Amino acid sequence: IERTGARGLAVLHAPVLGPPSAAADGSLTILVGGDAQRIEAQRPLLSAMGGTIVVLDTNEQACALKLAMNAMLLASLQLTGEALALATGWGIPRDQVLAFFGASPLLSAPVKARIGAMYTAEAPANFSLALGRKDLWLAAAAAYEVGASTPIIAAALETYSMAMRDHRDEDIARIGGFLAEMADTAP
């Protein structure tokens, strides 16, 4: 970055949120931090890639906000998997539970979109368990830097670490099936 500045160039770090389809159709959420004038100068380019542009004071804030959002998604998927294991453990058919959860206003749209893939190893991995685990680790490290208490993120990191052993390249939705399968094999 220092070399680009010496050459009269500016670098903007702009983490994005959204699946590959959002990148293809220009509807990503773009988190960009830094000099407001530089950001405004690049707004037409950013707008071509994203439908929502969130401007923050620093690059570090943009990265932290992306990690916070991904941690929410990943922990939500883990909780959905735990609730699935609880309900199916009581004999409620899995398809009925998945349909009920999918219709619930309590789940976010990204979690609902992944409900059907919880038991499918062949589902396209738009966000792999390995990448999810990496983001949870980074979120835990970022929280540690600012003294934030994040026990749920820590628990999700542990669960994703276990699931990654056998499901590394599968979509993060697989965490739900992994937890339910663990319950099915418990003594």
Side-chain angles (χ1 to χ4, degrees), residues 24-39:
D25 69 16
S27 64
L28 290 168
T29 296
I30 300 175
L31 311 171
V32 61
D35 182 80
Q37 285 183 315
R38 287 183 181 156
I39 293 169

Side-chain angles (χ1 to χ4, degrees), residues 10-125:
V11 174
L12 291 177
H13 292 270
V16 299
L17 295 167
S21 59
D25 69 16
S27 64
L28 290 168
T29 296
I30 300 175
L31 311 171
V32 61
D35 182 80
Q37 285 183 315
R38 287 183 181 156
I39 293 169
E40 285 307 312
Q42 298 305 317
R43 189 169 285 276
L45 175 63
L46 295 170
S47 295
M49 296 183 292
T52 302
I53 300 166
V54 179
V55 178
L56 297 139
D57 290 338
T58 68
N59 296 328
E60 291 81 5
Q61 288 175 339
C63 291
L65 189 55
K66 177 182 174 136
L67 289 172
M69 289 299 296
N70 281 352
M72 268 199 305
L73 169 62
L74 296 161
S76 293
L77 282 166
Q78 175 173 329
L79 180 57
T80 302
E82 291 178 16
L84 178 62
L86 169 71
T88 58
W90 277 94
I92 304 169
R94 179 174 68 197
D95 290 344
Q96 186 178 8
V97 175
L98 291 175
F100 181 75
F101 285 0
S104 171
L106 297 178
L107 296 184
S108 68
V111 172
K112 285 182 181 185
R114 288 179 164 87
I115 288 266
M118 288 191 162
Y119 284 90
T120 308
E122 294 78 30

Side-chain angles (χ1 to χ4, degrees), residues 60 64 67 137-150:
E60 291 81 5
L67 289 172
W137 186 88
L138 290 170
Y144 179 81
E145 278 189 50
V146 296
S149 177
T150 55

